[in-house]
Amino acid sequence: MEADWDEVGRIGLPPPGVHAMPTPVSTLAFDTNQELLWAGNEYGRITSFYGPEMQKYTSYRAHPSPEGPVKQLLFNDKGVISIASRSLHMSLRRGLAQWHLRHDEMKDLRCMSYTSKGTSEILVAGCQNIMFKVDVDKGRILQEITTEENYTIMKRSHYICAATNTGSVDMLDPQTFRVVKTWKAHTAWINDMDAQNNFLVTCGYSPRQQQNYMLDPLANVFDLKTLKPLPPIPFHAGAAFVRMHPKMSTTSFVASQNGQLQVVDLMNPNTVNLRQANISSFMMALELAPSGEALALTDADCFIHLWGSPNKIHFAELSTSTDYADSPAPPPSVEWTADIPLSTIGLPHYREQLLSAWPGHIVYDVGRPPSKIDSEILVSMIAADFGGYAPNPRKTHRNQVENTRTADNPAAPLMAPKFLSEKARETISNNERRISDAEALEDASLSGITKAEVPVIYMNVEIKYSKFGVDDFDFNYYNKTKYSGLETHIANSFSNPLLQLYKFTPLLRNLALHHAATACLFENCMLCEMGFLFDMLDKANGQNCQATNFLKTFSSLPEASALALLEENSPITTLTTMIQSVNRFLLDRISIDFKQTSPRSDHLDLTLATAALSSIRCMSCNNETVRPGGTYVNELVYPAKTNNQMRIPYPSFSQILKASVEREHQTRGWCDKCRRYQQMSTRKTIQNIPFVFMINAAVNTHEAKQLWVTPGWLPEEIGIIVDRGQFFCYEGEDLKLHLQRGIHYITVYELIGLVADINSGEHQKSHLVSLVNVGASLREPQAGSQWHLFNDFLVRKVSTEEALRFVPSWKVPSVLTYQVKTGSNVVDDSWKGSLDTALLFQDWLPNHHQKLGNCQSLSSQTEAPRPGTRVAIDAEFVALQQEEIEIKADGSRETIRPSRLGLARVSVLRGSGIDEGLPFIDDYISTTETVVDYLTAFSGIRSGDLDPKYSRHNLVPLKVAYKKLWLLLNLGCIFVGHGLPKDFRTINIHVPKDQVIDTVDLFYIRSRQRKLSLRFLAWFLLKEEIQLETHDSIEDARTALSLYRKYEEFQDAGILEQRLDEIYSRGRETGYKVPSALLMEGDARGGRETPPILHEGTSGPSTPVRNPAGLSALHHGPSTWILGKGGYSASRLK
């Protein structure tokens, strides 16, 4: 405190109402970013004052009055965070509410502190046994932490120093929030404390004679570096308040309740500077500005006193400009006469939220709209003197009323369609023509949409689940094109748009598929998984797909978790940042995968890598080092904002790209010549450019967004010249001019597509979409715009203008892809003729020296698969995650997320020849994931069967089993089985319909609306009993093959329809059950609708014995299992 420090201002805190009495200040704080002083009162109101003159800036109600005073204030660059006893609140400095957070466990909050993640996360505590970790950016609770102590004050230094209500201070780890050290500072309680650098200073109370409590005549000091107490600071007037100087690490301000101020050095307590505050009552709070040049204190008379040097006083160390309210424009003069019609007076149109919109936490619904009178009552109404009366139709239960407020709410912009089962029932019961939901979505037009409005097709899409699972969801409602979308119910599916962008880049697609066709068997090869996914999307031809295997492999990579690329590891990271990081990671990863099988080939680097040399020069000694500086992703760098008042024209996209590729920047680094850290200048020299140019947009500033908003700023074509290490980029007329001249060799690139971040609105979370020019990936070029929107499983054709239109408030680009124009329509399918099929003719035996079971591999000379080769297939699955079900207030159940199944066993049998029915694939799939239910009664899989340590089966990695099926698919084999669509879906492979023979459909009469189980068909047609105790994939596949042969017999004899009628007739008599003596025992094994959860080690035999069953079994007693209720999917009928 310098000699000229004195009181420079005094102002009273405004009263809470017009005629109310002034109230004392409950908390006081200087803003860390602007020249503002903030104060809270006892009624939850917060007021700010600007500058040394303490001009009133904002005042707003942050917390309801019943919650009492504002306890503490924190600041970040976005706004002000306040805490009351039962809520948290964040507002802009102008007073606009950002979020308001309440929780049932918030009972007596007192304090808060920033954590190790800076200003994006806070720890909130109080006199209660629950602490909360809160995401500041999103305004939501991330974690509830149980604590045994009641905390009243928190300060952040090396640790989070938390004062308890018993006089102790807990040093909490800012990451784990565990107590590192506890220090007993005072015997009663702590009145004030502060922490700065390595020191913690406290003031508090201790008991005196006659059970009275008095302030301790000293301030206690604690060393946070050694975690040991230091000698206290004597203060005979009674230390009530303390603050550490923000710049002088050992200087502290100590004050008493009567206004005595003492500035003391902790290392030399004898050097004291005393001042006396001019107050008539007693002091209630003390606060020191972040700059160290201002001091504020409050008294019991409701005044705020500001101290400082009149010539130097300022609050923030590096303050930013403060926004002021605009002066309202004077209303235009209107000549008003009786002859002027009122309609000529215009009214303003509002497209954005008004400042008068109240925050949601103080808006309540009062009353409810009246219920609409039922039409049946109005029809049967009998008039009377008092009005009318009618019979009660009794459509509700007793004491049940309609929630009319919910009924009258408008529907969401993009409602989910009806389930397929509902539409099927409507089709049968009502043959009238009605407009479908799909037609309604098809009619959704983009014309007339303003820039601030988010079109319907950009909204979040969500899968709904009926009792029949995801198969009952109408994906066709969202996609009428021949391009397949990707489903969203899988972890880390935020990367779906990036995968679509990769798929429609022809050169990258060709690279992935050619690699997948090689002999690569590396389990975590992302390039193989990418090839499998691209092939599935090609074959699906518009049907929905899911990137299950790709995302599973991606999520299992330790590097992805370490880099926070997974949703569960980065809950607060924006999707734009994550998808750009994923883009860099995947391209680096597939480069490593490619070189594992082709170490000498540079094909991938020529396709994706920008070859460059980085020259690193020391700014002190000019020593220069040259290193490889190639990259697979180029990140755009935008010009910094300048204070120059001259209007500078916006740079073009090509100028930004050139500056970004050749970016020259300065950083501090180690100089080998100087032998010390110096300022280093890094400059890139471009050697070669790739065929595919991947770009991260990196739109993080307001100035960058303004560039993208400019119509036509993103060109559809660019030209690049690399000459003597220099990089030149052209677009528009400049590109045409260079092409006409032909002096330099210029490579022309066309825009393939982009990934955009969509902020759909206040009530919807941000998500990503891709906009792709699919024309470049077609085998033959087509005229006209071929831009399509891929919003997960919603696919819609859009215009070029719409695809390249960006809006800062809701549509911002994240990733761009350019490809050489000569690579357009280069769809190379030659990989289908060069498949490495050696895997089909060899045994994979990682655990055993000899093969187990009766599986016999194919002979490469006599049994090589070819187009039309029939194979029988069946698969078994285990549950890796239970389904999530929400039970509503009315008792109805809604599936939030279905159970996640994993492939456990797959069996493929020969479908013809002398060895027909002999398996050549019988793989058990090893898994490291936790199995929550082995579904033993339905799969035959028992605990330990999938564990390499205990399994007695031939275990293979999932990729090996999958690649065998993928090879059979692309060799043209025809798969015979029962209920195959669900099996293929869970395996994550798409088989065209002309390569599938499903016995569910062969023995099915559509008008009966019932599909028959494999067990019932085997009993009736083959006179065999299967699935007696558990399912066995070899037995099921062999049975399906026998049923197919029986179908061929009926068809050749011309008695198929007659036999189908007999099957359904017999099924009605028996309830579509197998009247087996085993089922009469009451256990109903193998036929429950919900599989039981068995204890570990309990299950039936692996392959049950097949027993013949005669028609006389029909006369046995009734069974307890009803198979296949109407609408059941085929997968439930095995």
Side-chain angles (χ1 to χ4, degrees), residues 29-284:
F30 283 97
D31 202 312
T32 56
N33 296 80
Q34 298 186 15
E35 295 295 305
L36 295 173
L37 173 62
W38 295 82
N41 70 4
E42 296 180 346
Y43 296 93
R45 180 171 288 275
I46 297 175
T47 306
S48 63
F49 305 93
Y50 178 77
E53 299 82 9
M54 290 195 288
Q55 178 184 355
K56 186 177 179 182
Y57 180 63
T58 51
S59 180
Y60 60 91
R61 173 71 61 82
H63 305 274
S65 299
E67 294 186 7
V70 180
K71 303 287 188 180
Q72 187 183 348
L73 299 170
L74 287 179
F75 307 94
N76 61 16
D77 56 348
K78 296 181 180 179
V80 183
I81 308 168
S82 60
I83 183 175
S85 61
R86 298 183 63 84
S87 63
L88 282 172
H89 184 87
M90 180 173 178
S91 294
L92 300 179
R93 290 174 171 80
R94 292 174 296 164
L96 299 179
Q98 297 302 290
W99 48 260
H100 188 89
L101 189 59
R102 300 189 66 178
H103 193 275
D104 293 340
E105 294 296 332
M106 292 182 178
K107 300 174 182 178
D108 189 7
L109 301 181
R110 297 290 185 89
C111 52
M112 55 185 171
S113 171
Y114 287 119
T115 67
S116 60
K117 294 187 178 180
T119 60
S120 63
E121 185 179 276
I122 59 174
L123 179 67
V124 183
C127 291
Q128 56 183 45
N129 58 0
I130 296 293
M131 297 192 298
F132 301 92
K133 185 169 72 170
V134 178
D135 186 337
V136 174
D137 296 329
K138 298 181 180 180
R140 62 185 181 91
I141 296 175
L142 298 177
Q143 185 181 358
E144 298 181 23
I145 306 167
T146 303
T147 177
E148 298 179 356
E149 299 291 344
N150 295 332
Y151 296 122
T152 57
I153 305 173
M154 279 187 173
K155 297 293 181 179
R156 170 72 195 281
S157 183
H158 297 299
Y159 305 97
I160 298 177
C161 303
T164 70
N165 60 353
T166 59
S168 300
V169 180
D170 287 348
M171 268 57 82
L172 306 180
D173 187 289
Q175 293 183 341
T176 63
F177 311 121
R178 295 180 179 177
V179 178
V180 178
K181 178 76 174 179
T182 299
W183 172 47
K184 185 66 175 179
H186 301 272
T187 56
W189 70 84
I190 297 175
N191 189 66
D192 195 15
M193 76 173 185
D194 197 14
Q196 188 77 21
N197 295 325
N198 296 328
F199 299 102
L200 170 68
V201 186
T202 65
C203 301
Y205 284 82
S206 296
R208 295 295 187 266
Q209 296 178 355
Q210 300 178 355
Q211 301 298 322
N212 291 327
Y213 291 91
M214 296 183 62
L215 286 166
D216 289 334
L218 47 85
N220 289 327
V221 185
F222 189 81
D223 191 332
L224 294 174
K225 188 174 183 180
T226 62
L227 295 179
K228 294 181 179 180
L230 297 178
I233 302 171
F235 193 80
H236 300 290
F241 308 98
V242 62
R243 285 294 178 268
M244 296 292 295
H245 198 283
K247 295 182 178 179
M248 295 179 283
S249 59
T250 61
T251 301
S252 67
F253 288 68
V254 186
S256 67
Q257 288 185 331
N258 59 13
Q260 181 178 335
L261 297 174
Q262 175 178 305
V263 184
V264 59
D265 191 332
L266 301 180
M267 299 293 99
N268 187 12
N270 297 324
T271 304
V272 178
N273 186 355
L274 291 177
R275 293 295 177 90
Q276 178 65 43
N278 185 18
I279 58 175
S280 58
S281 55
F282 58 90
M283 188 184 298
M284 296 187 65

Side-chain angles (χ1 to χ4, degrees), residues 425-640:
R425 288 193 296 269
E426 288 183 0
T427 303
I428 296 174
S429 60
N430 184 14
N431 293 326
E432 295 181 0
R433 174 74 172 97
R434 56 192 300 270
I435 298 177
S436 66
D437 294 331
E439 292 171 345
L441 180 63
E442 191 68 24
D443 292 337
S445 175
L446 293 173
S447 60
I449 298 293
T450 64
K451 288 186 176 182
E453 294 177 338
V454 182
V456 172
I457 58 176
Y458 285 96
M459 296 289 187
N460 277 306
V461 291
E462 183 180 358
I463 300 175
K464 298 295 184 181
Y465 306 96
S466 71
K467 63 181 179 180
F468 305 120
V470 71
D471 294 328
D472 201 23
F473 188 74
D474 187 8
F475 288 100
N476 190 48
Y477 164 75
Y478 297 94
N479 186 6
K480 299 293 185 182
T481 71
K482 61 180 180 179
Y483 307 106
S484 299
L486 291 172
E487 297 175 17
T488 58
H489 61 278
I490 311 166
N492 300 306
S493 60
F494 72 91
S495 57
N496 283 348
L498 183 62
L499 298 178
Q500 292 280 17
L501 185 60
Y502 287 170
K503 188 264 176 186
F504 287 101
T505 305
L507 298 183
L508 182 54
R509 169 200 175 273
N510 297 340
L511 191 71
L513 286 170
H514 276 274
H515 178 82
T518 65
C520 175
L521 291 177
F522 293 103
E523 190 169 353
N524 292 327
C525 178
M526 296 303 300
L527 190 55
C528 277
E529 296 296 340
M530 198 176 289
F532 298 152
L533 176 62
F534 294 167
D535 184 47
M536 178 171 60
L537 290 169
D538 280 339
K539 289 181 169 62
N541 196 29
Q543 297 183 33
N544 58 292
C545 296
Q546 57 279 341
T548 308
N549 290 352
F550 180 92
L551 295 178
K552 180 180 179 180
T553 304
F554 171 63
S555 303
S556 66
L557 295 175
E559 300 90 341
S561 179
L563 295 172
L565 303 181
L566 309 180
E567 289 176 316
E568 60 268 23
N569 296 335
S570 51
I572 62 174
T573 308
T574 62
L575 287 179
T576 293
T577 303
M578 288 184 65
I579 201 65
Q580 292 176 159
S581 301
V582 170
N583 186 32
R584 285 191 293 267
F585 174 79
L586 286 181
L587 295 179
D588 288 337
R589 182 72 190 191
I590 65 175
S591 171
I592 297 173
D593 295 338
F594 180 82
K595 292 174 183 177
Q596 285 181 317
T597 56
S598 305
R600 298 182 179 179
S601 174
D602 60 350
H603 184 47
L604 186 137
D605 287 341
L606 292 175
T607 304
L608 295 172
T610 302
L613 296 176
S614 292
S615 302
I616 306 173
R617 181 172 59 88
C618 176
M619 302 294 289
S620 176
C621 65
N622 289 328
N623 179 47
E624 188 168 349
T625 304
V626 179
R627 299 175 182 173
T631 181
Y632 295 105
V633 179
N634 293 277
E635 191 158 317
L636 296 184
V637 179
Y638 303 90

